[in-house]
Amino acid sequence: MTAALQLTSTPPAVTDREALETAIRSACRKIAPLWPLKHFVAVNPFLGFTGQSFAATCATFRRVAGVDMLMPRAFYREAMAAGIIDDEALEAALAAAPALPGSAMDLASLKAASAVDPQWRTKPSAVVSTVAEVLDTLAQGDRQTSLVGFMIDEISKWCAGYFDEGQAIWPMPVRAQGRYAAWRATAQFDRNPEMMGIRGFRRLIVGLPADPVEAIGHVVAQLGIPQRAVEDYLHRALFDIGGWAAYARYLGWNAELGGGTDDTLVELLAIRIAWGYTLFEARQDAAFRQAWTQAMVHAAALPQDERLGDDPELAVDLVLQQAYEIAFQRRMITRLKEHAGRPQAEALPVRRPVQAAFCIDVRSEVFRRALETACPQAETVGFAGFFGFPIEYVPIGHQRGGAQCPVLLKPSFIVCEQVGEASEEEETEVLGLRLMRRRAAKAWKSFKLSAVSSFSYVETAGLLFAPKILSDSLGLTRTVAHPSADGLNAKVVRHVKPRLEPRMVGSRATGFEPWQRVAMAEAVLKAMSMTENFARLVMLTGHGSTTVNNPHASGLDCGACGGHTGEANARVAAAILNDPYVREGLQAKGILVPEDTWFLGALHDTTTDKVTIYDEASIPTTHARDLTRLKTWLDTAASLARMERAALLGLSEQDGIDDKVIARSRDWSQVRPEWGLAGNAAFIAAPRERTRELDLSGRAFLHTYDESEDASHAVLELIMTAPMVVASWINLQYYGSTVNNPAFGSGNKTLHNVVGQLGVLEGNAGDLKVGLPLQSVHDGRRFVHEPLRLNVFIEASVSAMDAVLAKHGSVRDLVDHGWVHLHAISGKGRDILRCHGVGDWRAC
């Protein structure tokens, strides 16, 4: 008798295909995408849950996966003992407790509850169980005995081979088939499961339907999953292989961005469900069958919503988290108001000696402050680091490039690298060098890693690497070549520049038409609130990071540039804004850029704080003195910024700080060459006067915005639907990697192994890891990143922001459901209101 027949007291399993497909889509949408290492970007791990409240999502993860989204209670006790959370914050959090059903605590009972750890001690148990989890429970947590670890390892190993992007020497022969079909084809010859005790594995797989959706439906029916629990069961199954599921979701995301579809995640779900089915059929013993029957009865009794009152421990932790965030908000609001009330500084000149636009990245806040110290008359501007140019940048010798824009966007233009001001022979030389280097590298890698020659390679060439290993260890050389040095030599490197003119690469049109240049120049200047009083030099500064031996290196580059460094966007923007035709077009639109204004493309290295200015040869000689002064200010600012960052990096404030910071960027043993965006907690869109000379310690995204220049509020809408959303993704990735690194992070980076050039494993097996390494949020003694949801402050009318929220449901969900805390600044910073919903703004 099957389990389905035994469960006569439970609702019937789903058999209708439409209902099944709905459940599958819903389960798959709950998986956040994971971008591959070559353009790793921050992603909100709770992206599929923004349609429900933060509190309800905490309940969902506890109920479905037994996973916590909050810090251990001891963390909040320590914050209370240190005075970070005071009674006032606790009272305020309790006053907001009606948002937490079932919470009826007073201050005394809350403090009493916070003094003891939750009853589950280690982690909450999931209400919805998979076959794997029931087996794991029977085995008392022994992964190998229960075969759960074996199942995850086998699926992960297969995914690594199928999705590999060039790391494997021998590619999987069935990759031309679909994912589910390819897996079934290989599973027919795989004896590993049967050797591990999964009887009839190959026979069971062959007997499943060839259609992945039908296979899922067949298994669901055979297991007797109650209709109420099907979606949760599928979500829980995906959570077991959450890393590979996230990569599959990325493939779907990319396809949808281009107007297509991709079923990789559905097929991967079918593989995971089929594996669970073989585990189920391999266990016929009474203990397992009884445990499974009880699990299904339990699942059938699930509530129809996230009843937080059924989990008093969760209610306590949610109030403590709320109090922790309220305490931070009050400190932040107090600082902003006090800064607004300070005596007015000396009036700055109408025409500044330099204007410098930086990415809104929190690391730019430190450098902007340092530059304004080095040159008090300078004006700094905050804007998304792709500078409004969503491009695909194609290096010399390539037919394809990378998307240099936020992952929410699709590149609108293709810009190719060329050798400017060089002869045809020199350009041919560059192309030849690059092709030669790539072919040699590929051949050398094949020789090193092949099954036979790898042994002779070690014997014959091993000792020759001793000097290189020594110099790398001493930081005298790089462990790997910098990506920008792809075959270029010193003779022509100064000539490399972007090609902007329309042309064809294969069948693809590249470059910008003249009218497009004018339109984009106008849009970017208005979005930066930079439409008058231009300086002689205007520096557009992208950013990137110098690091070695770091699989997640692109995660330290610019998220606004799709996980790439931002010099391509900055140089493209500068070239277009320097175009005489564009200048004439802008003047016709009411934006007069003086003839002596020159735009510079530059790159800020966030590890070393060095700023590189590109295309200096094209700068007019009349600006030589201006450029010299700018370089002096940038050098001074770099030293000031390094000094500020040094304390958090554990470097003593002694001579040689500059050299020590730079040395970290070349150290292949360095687990954190920089802290990245750790500590991010606020997003401020306002005129620079609101934050100028205010030390925000590199914790705020700063976007320049002047409502008086945005009559239609089109720029406000852009800010709230793009930069604010991207900032929330970054913030929630850091939040998830802090509160529960095993579930939402990527563990210990010293144990990482790159797989398929796509992601990392922690150790030599297991699931693909998501999120950030523990070393990105913890210094070995304490968490450097605080688990705070993003606090957004925008200097704009509440009616204008209400209009944006009413128009964009996805943005409204972020605010209404507590994923971000939205505030309005008014009265030149002296008044701040908190949004509790459209039309509901209350004074802070």
Side-chain angles (χ1 to χ4, degrees):
M1 182 178 293
T2 66
L5 294 177
Q6 294 176 23
L7 299 177
T8 55
S9 62
T10 64
V14 171
T15 56
D16 178 73
R17 172 139 184 158
E18 183 178 351
L20 178 63
E21 289 180 341
T22 298
I24 291 173
R25 281 195 302 271
S26 297
C28 290
R29 286 290 176 183
K30 291 178 178 177
I31 302 299
L34 172 66
W35 267 255
L37 293 175
K38 62 184 178 183
H39 44 231
F40 184 82
V41 295
V43 178
N44 170 11
F46 318 111
L47 185 62
F49 294 88
T50 53
Q52 66 184 44
S53 72
F54 172 82
T57 303
C58 289
T60 297
F61 272 98
R62 284 192 177 182
R63 174 175 61 77
V64 174
V67 166
D68 216 335
M69 278 175 56
L70 301 168
M71 293 294 284
R73 196 165 293 174
F75 173 84
Y76 303 109
R77 285 200 297 270
E78 291 172 5
M80 293 166 66
I84 297 173
I85 301 177
D86 56 18
D87 286 356
E88 187 178 2
L90 292 171
E91 292 277 16
L94 286 169
L100 307 177
S103 176
M105 294 172 284
D106 57 18
L107 183 60
S109 60
L110 175 60
K111 285 187 171 182
S114 67
V116 295
D117 288 329
Q119 295 177 359
W120 56 71
R121 295 183 182 178
T122 54
K123 71 171 188 176
S125 60
V127 176
V128 180
S129 299
T130 62
V131 173
E133 187 170 27
V134 171
L135 288 172
D136 199 47
T137 302
L138 291 175
Q140 298 181 342
D142 186 336
R143 282 168 41 114
Q144 295 306 316
T145 302
S146 68
L147 298 179
V148 175
F150 174 73
M151 173 191 70
I152 295 174
D153 291 348
E154 288 293 294
I155 294 176
S156 182
K157 182 172 63 176
W158 185 88
C159 288
Y162 185 89
F163 295 115
D164 176 79
E165 290 193 352
Q167 183 172 340
I169 298 300
W170 294 338
M172 184 180 287
V174 293
R175 292 180 67 181
Q177 301 183 39
R179 281 69 52 180
Y180 178 66
W183 175 75
R184 289 183 75 226
T186 56
Q188 296 179 40
F189 304 98
D190 189 356
R191 295 182 180 273
N192 280 355
E194 290 169 3
M195 292 179 65
M196 290 295 293
I198 306 177
R199 296 187 301 273
F201 177 85
R202 290 175 296 158
R203 172 182 54 80
L204 290 167
I205 297 304
V206 171
L208 288 173
D211 178 75
V213 174
E214 290 181 8
I216 294 171
H218 175 78
V219 172
V220 165
Q222 291 298 309
L223 298 185
I225 309 295
Q227 184 169 353
R228 164 65 185 91
V230 169
E231 181 183 324
D232 287 337
Y233 180 81
L234 299 179
H235 176 217
R236 178 68 183 87
L238 284 173
F239 199 84
D240 280 342
I241 52 170
W244 286 110
Y247 176 70
R249 180 71 183 93
Y250 154 76
L251 296 176
W253 179 283
N254 256 11
E256 292 164 9
L257 200 61
T261 59
D262 183 278
D263 294 330
T264 300
L265 185 52
V266 175
E267 296 190 51
L268 185 59
L269 174 60
I271 294 171
R272 167 61 186 85
I273 292 296
W275 257 99
Y277 175 58
T278 64
L279 295 177
F280 178 85
E281 289 295 330
R283 290 290 295 266
Q284 300 293 329
D285 55 284
F288 169 71
R289 295 291 165 156
Q290 182 179 3
W292 180 252
T293 299
Q294 291 175 347
M296 293 302 97
V297 171
H298 196 187
L302 289 174
Q304 293 298 317
D305 56 12
E306 307 301 338
R307 294 203 313 229
L308 301 180
D310 293 345
D311 191 345
E313 299 287 8
L314 175 58
V316 170
D317 290 341
L318 282 167
V319 172
L320 293 174
Q321 175 65 29
Q322 184 89 333
Y324 187 78
E325 297 191 357
I326 287 173
F328 173 82
Q329 289 164 11
R330 290 185 169 178
R331 294 193 298 271
M332 185 72 182
I333 290 170
T334 297
R335 294 194 65 200
L336 288 173
K337 288 183 176 179
E338 289 178 347
H339 186 68
R342 77 194 190 289
Q344 292 297 314
E346 182 180 347
L348 295 172
V350 173
R351 193 175 197 197
R352 311 295 184 86
V354 65
Q355 291 169 301
F358 292 86
C359 183
I360 63 172
D361 188 292
V362 297
R363 292 167 291 182
S364 299
E365 187 272 333
V366 176
F367 194 91
R368 288 176 64 182
R369 213 169 357 97
L371 179 57
E372 290 166 350
T373 300
C375 175
Q377 295 78 33
E379 178 184 6
T380 67
V381 176
F383 189 68
F386 75 116
F387 294 105
F389 288 85
I391 62 173
E392 177 187 335
Y393 193 68
V394 183
I396 291 176
H398 288 262
Q399 290 296 310
R400 289 279 179 179
Q404 300 263 160
C405 59
V407 296
L408 298 173
L409 304 176
K410 181 182 178 181
S412 301
F413 304 94
I414 302 172
V415 176
C416 297
E417 184 183 37
Q418 69 171 358
V419 181
E421 302 175 16
S423 66
E424 183 176 344
E425 291 75 14
E426 287 179 317
E427 184 162 4
T428 301
E429 179 187 358
V430 172
L431 291 173
L433 284 170
R434 288 199 166 184
L435 290 173
M436 185 184 303
R437 173 174 175 156
R438 290 180 200 132
R439 289 168 182 166
K442 184 176 181 180
W444 190 245
K445 177 184 176 183
S446 298
F447 178 71
K448 288 193 297 182
L449 301 181
S450 68
V452 178
S453 59
S454 60
F455 298 101
S456 59
Y457 165 79
V458 173
E459 293 292 335
T460 58
L463 291 177
L464 298 178
F465 277 84
K468 181 68 164 64
I469 292 174
L470 179 62
S471 62
D472 285 345
S473 300
L474 295 175
L476 302 177
T477 55
R478 292 180 59 90
T479 58
V480 293
H482 195 279
S484 66
D486 187 12
L488 293 177
N489 61 17
K491 183 172 65 173
V492 296
V493 70
R494 67 182 183 277
H495 294 306
V496 172
K497 70 177 185 179
R499 183 195 296 271
L500 305 179
E501 296 299 332
R503 69 185 203 124
M504 299 296 291
V505 173
S507 60
R508 302 184 306 157
T510 72
F512 301 79
E513 296 288 350
W515 66 269
Q516 291 173 324
R517 300 185 190 195
V518 175
M520 297 191 72
E522 178 190 20
V524 70
L525 291 177
K526 287 184 175 179
M528 289 193 294
S529 298
M530 188 185 291
T531 57
E532 59 184 357
N533 300 325
F534 291 90
R536 282 173 57 83
L537 287 181
V538 181
M539 188 173 70
L540 306 179
T541 319
H543 67 91
S545 172
T546 299
T547 179
V548 293
N549 193 27
N550 180 10
H552 291 96
S554 63
L556 296 176
D557 288 334
C558 184
C561 298
H564 301 94
T565 56
E567 73 268 24
N569 300 75
R571 295 171 69 193
V572 167
I576 288 177
L577 289 166
N578 287 329
D579 186 338
Y581 177 86
V582 172
R583 296 285 183 91
E584 291 179 9
L586 289 173
Q587 184 173 356
K589 293 177 178 292
I591 302 176
L592 178 60
V593 181
E595 290 185 5
D596 65 348
T597 290
W598 191 261
F599 289 85
L600 305 172
L603 182 75
H604 170 213
D605 186 327
T606 55
T607 308
T608 64
D609 279 307
K610 175 179 174 57
V611 173
T612 301
I613 298 174
Y614 293 95
D615 308 310
E616 288 190 37
S618 63
I619 300 174
T621 56
T622 54
H623 290 61
R625 182 180 177 186
D626 303 271
L627 182 62
T628 299
R629 287 192 306 167
L630 174 59
K631 287 183 175 181
T632 300
W633 294 329
L634 291 174
D635 288 343
T636 302
S639 293
L640 292 173
R642 291 179 196 128
M643 187 68 70
E644 180 172 335
R645 299 188 206 272
L648 199 56
L649 291 171
L651 302 177
S652 58
E653 294 188 13
Q654 300 173 356
D655 292 339
I657 285 293
D658 287 3
D659 292 337
K660 291 177 182 178
V661 170
I662 293 172
R664 294 173 70 90
S665 70
R666 306 174 67 91
D667 184 355
W668 66 351
S669 67
Q670 183 53 249
V671 294
R672 63 178 72 80
E674 59 159 286
W675 274 109
L677 292 93
N680 73 84
F683 176 98
I684 303 174
R688 178 55 173 159
E689 303 90 83
R690 300 295 166 263
T691 53
R692 190 180 177 101
E693 299 181 3
L694 177 61
D695 183 355
L696 294 172
S697 304
R699 303 193 64 184
F701 300 92
L702 297 181
H703 197 301
T704 299
Y705 176 66
D706 187 344
E707 188 179 26
S708 67
E709 298 183 13
D710 184 28
S712 67
H713 291 109
V715 174
L716 174 65
E717 182 176 3
L718 178 66
I719 289 172
M720 293 181 67
T721 55
M724 187 183 91
V725 174
V726 172
S728 77
W729 277 29
I730 296 169
N731 170 263
L732 289 168
Q733 183 187 60
Y734 273 84
Y735 176 92
S737 298
T738 300
V739 298
N740 196 333
N741 197 269
F744 306 116
S746 59
N748 187 342
K749 73 186 304 180
T750 63
L751 303 178
H752 284 174
N753 282 304
V754 175
V755 55
Q757 297 185 8
L758 300 172
V760 297
L761 304 180
E762 188 179 18
N764 63 351
D767 187 26
L768 198 69
K769 303 301 291 183
V770 299
L772 301 167
L774 184 61
Q775 286 87 348
S776 293
V777 294
H778 196 281
D779 69 359
R781 297 176 295 104
R782 65 181 182 90
F783 282 104
V784 170
H785 182 76
E786 291 188 79
L788 297 164
R789 286 167 283 174
L790 190 67
N791 292 275
V792 178
F793 298 87
I794 302 178
E795 186 163 330
S797 63
V798 296
S799 60
M801 284 193 277
D802 278 342
V804 175
L805 295 176
K807 182 178 178 180
H808 298 277
S810 59
V811 179
R812 185 171 64 252
D813 284 345
L814 291 177
V815 176
D816 288 351
H817 296 152
W819 297 101
V820 301
H821 305 299
L822 178 62
H823 303 78
I825 300 175
S826 61
K828 294 187 176 181
R830 294 180 177 83
D831 301 311
I832 295 178
L833 305 174
R834 167 80 184 276
C835 180
H836 293 265
V838 175
D840 184 6
W841 297 79
R842 307 173 196 173
C844 296

